[in-house]
Amino acid sequence: MDPAGIPHPQDCGISHDEVVIPGGSFLMGDHFDEGYPQDGETPVHQVAIDSFSIDATTVTNSQFARFVDATGYRTESEAYGTSAVFHLQVQAAPVDLIGTVTGAPWWVSVREANWAHPYGRRSDWQDFPDHPVVQISWNDAQAYCSWAARKLPTEAQWEYAARGGLEGRRYPWGNELLGSGDIHLCNIWQGEFPRTNLKQDGFLGTAPVRSFPPNGYGLYEISGNVWEWCADWFLPKYYRNSPLVNPLGPTIGRGRVMRGGSYLCHDSYCNRYRVAARSSNSPDSASSNCGFRTVRPETPV
């Protein structure tokens, strides 16, 4: 218990299943020249990273619930009173549907959609406690990290860990999307986006953590499932002059970096489930396909 009377994470039964990533260097960026030019995935450049510990999975609903119970924290979606929900997942009365996003009508602004009710008032996190927490802004993730004595990974840490020790591959497991026997190795969209999801990987929305095989370092769902916030500001031209050792990202940008893609990614619309792929959003934005994982601040010896 801290002096303010707020229980520490260990007092709330929260533990982080960590993976120790050995220090080393890797070639960061898009090796296949198949990213979106506006994302700035090139040039490929060598980066050296010190050893660090990172969560094996994204933070789950049950973990985030303990944080909220301990602190009384209100997320930005709760403060705003609305958030974005993918249209096939809405669980709300018609009166709660405020409108759709211009240019992306598959996103619906739903009243009272937030981490505890991620698809609207008729949904509840307790129905899927081992799924990634969603409807989390970058600011919300930072608040959790401050309480739990954690940090968001830098973008370079994230990609280095996501590659799982494989150099220059398209995905955390290799270059082919499907595994032996056409097994699905991540949770992304199959079918015709955004209307028909064939659910060949077993899921329309989020999957429970540890649903798919881990990468070579033991990280689960590092591609697909939910977008993951990183610490860095996003600047497309950053790779042109990125530091070669433990880069922290630019000092300014047009939003914060998100990595990994989500269950809504499809090669016809958003092939950002590749390990080099980058995206961004404003720090106060949240949606039904965005969460986070954390790293330990101290560098292991």
Side-chain angles (χ1 to χ4, degrees), residues 44-116:
V44 173
H45 56 291
Q46 189 159 23
V47 173
I49 298 289
D50 291 338
S51 175
F52 64 99
S53 294
I54 187 170
D55 292 338
T57 75
T58 53
V59 172
T60 64
N61 280 313
S62 60
Q63 286 176 306
F64 199 81
R66 293 188 189 114
F67 159 61
V68 170
D69 287 345
T71 64
Y73 180 79
R74 293 184 74 230
T75 61
E76 294 193 292
S77 292
E78 290 172 286
Y80 295 150
T82 182
S83 198
V85 179
F86 183 65
H87 72 111
L88 295 182
Q89 295 179 284
V90 172
Q91 297 179 38
V95 69
D96 286 338
L97 309 186
I98 298 172
T100 59
V101 175
T102 302
W106 47 87
W107 285 113
V108 182
S109 180
V110 178
R111 187 175 287 111
E112 300 302 325
N114 54 59
W115 80 270

Side-chain angles (χ1 to χ4, degrees), residues 213-230:
N215 74 358
Y217 284 149
L219 275 63
Y220 292 85
E221 287 84 48
I222 199 76
S223 282
N225 216 25
V226 295
W227 283 104
E228 300 180 19
W229 289 111
C230 291

Side-chain angles (χ1 to χ4, degrees), residues 155 231-235 248-257 278 283:
E155 185 177 20
D232 308 34
W233 286 105
F234 178 81
L235 196 65
L248 300 177
T251 56
I252 58 171
R254 61 177 201 208
R256 296 287 183 172
V257 171
R278 320 171 68 210

Side-chain angles (χ1 to χ4, degrees), residues 147-209:
W147 171 72
R150 311 287 295 177
K151 293 176 67 176
L152 291 176
T154 67
E155 185 177 20
Q157 285 178 323
W158 190 97
E159 184 172 325
Y160 180 55
R163 290 188 176 276
L166 299 179
E167 188 70 80
R169 301 298 197 273
R170 180 177 283 113
Y171 307 114
W173 53 84
N175 288 331
E176 301 301 322
L177 181 60
L178 299 179
S180 177
D182 289 342
I183 185 174
H184 288 270
L185 299 174
C186 65
N187 178 18
I188 57 174
W189 188 277
Q190 298 90 43
E192 184 180 350
F193 188 86
R195 294 293 174 187
T196 306
N197 190 340
L198 301 177
K199 295 187 287 186
Q200 293 166 333
D201 57 20
F203 303 98
L204 172 65
T206 58
V209 298

